[in-house]
Amino acid sequence: MHALKKNRPLRRIVLASAATVSGMVTLLSLKPHASPQAALALPAPSGSASASSGSGSAGTGTKTVTGDTIQTRWGPVQVRVTIKDGRLTEVTAVSYPSDNPRDQEINSYALPRLRTEALTAQSADIDTVSGATYTSEGYRQSLQSALDSAGG
């Protein structure tokens, strides 16, 4: 007679309970595809792949430059800067990793912090955001190339 037949009902109960608990733990550990905060926090990146471009009006002293596209482990990172009268007034992430929910979650908090740091520092000498090391490094390199192109 098989070991799990009638003479061992307690063993079947224990195994069925363990399987149920394992299944519930697995289901509860799954995360949703996208959180509402991550979906609303950042605009979708554009497909711009130009290395750098400058536009501006000589009369106002405003220049907009797009930095190099930096390939990171998780995808390309590219920023665009606006410089007005020699001061960094805007930094925008043009391209960044956003292929999966984890990328979206990381960048929903990393990109605003990197932007604030760049505007405060007025340079590419910014701190790495914890948990977004590769994006931070790509952001810093693209920012530096944009500043170099702008002559700042």
Side-chain angles (χ1 to χ4, degrees):
M1 190 173 245
H2 192 270
L4 294 180
K5 296 276 181 184
K6 294 179 184 177
N7 62 348
R8 305 263 186 200
L10 186 58
R11 184 178 287 177
R12 286 190 296 181
I13 292 171
V14 169
L15 288 174
S17 297
T20 302
V21 169
S22 296
M24 291 302 292
V25 167
T26 302
L27 285 175
L28 294 174
S29 69
L30 294 176
K31 297 192 185 241
H33 287 289
S35 65
Q37 293 85 9
L40 297 175
L42 296 170
S46 67
S48 174
S50 65
S52 67
S53 63
S55 66
S57 167
T60 63
T62 301
K63 186 184 282 191
T64 300
V65 181
T66 303
D68 293 338
T69 300
I70 307 300
Q71 292 298 326
T72 69
R73 178 177 178 178
W74 305 113
V77 177
Q78 183 179 33
V79 299
R80 179 178 299 129
V81 299
T82 301
I83 299 173
K84 183 174 183 180
D85 297 328
R87 288 197 45 86
L88 188 61
T89 58
E90 185 58 55
V91 182
T92 306
V94 176
S95 153
Y96 50 88
S98 61
D99 294 338
N100 62 57
R102 183 69 177 140
D103 289 341
Q104 295 167 7
E105 179 185 355
I106 289 169
N107 291 321
S108 71
Y109 72 84
L111 294 177
R113 289 182 185 175
L114 291 166
R115 177 186 175 275
T116 301
E117 288 244 355
L119 291 173
T120 301
Q122 290 291 304
S123 72
D125 186 22
I126 58 177
D127 290 334
T128 299
V129 174
S130 179
T133 305
Y134 293 103
T135 299
S136 297
E137 186 59 32
Y139 193 97
R140 188 174 16 258
Q141 289 176 17
S142 184
L143 176 60
Q144 185 63 57
S145 73
L147 293 173
D148 291 345
S149 295

